[in-house]
Amino acid sequence: MGLFDGLLDFIRNYAVKAQKDDVLFTAIHRILTEELGWESKNLL
């Protein structure tokens, strides 16, 4: 196992965790906006 194999494993693990976080954030946002009627504010 070389240096690049370890780096590739790290990138794969990070991508899976980021994808799970994105799904969780999307689900929470959907509950807040569609179920509870909350609206996000435009800060720009």
Side-chain angles (χ1 to χ4, degrees):
M1 183 171 184
L3 174 65
F4 291 111
D5 293 331
L7 181 60
L8 186 58
D9 287 341
F10 173 79
I11 292 171
R12 284 183 185 146
N13 290 335
Y14 185 80
V16 168
K17 289 178 185 176
Q19 186 178 23
K20 289 179 183 178
D21 289 345
D22 189 39
V23 170
L24 179 61
F25 178 79
T26 302
I28 291 171
H29 182 264
R30 187 170 184 174
I31 290 169
L32 290 176
T33 56
E34 293 181 8
E35 299 295 326
L36 299 178
W38 289 16
E39 294 182 17
S40 60
K41 293 183 178 179
N42 188 359
L43 300 176
L44 299 176

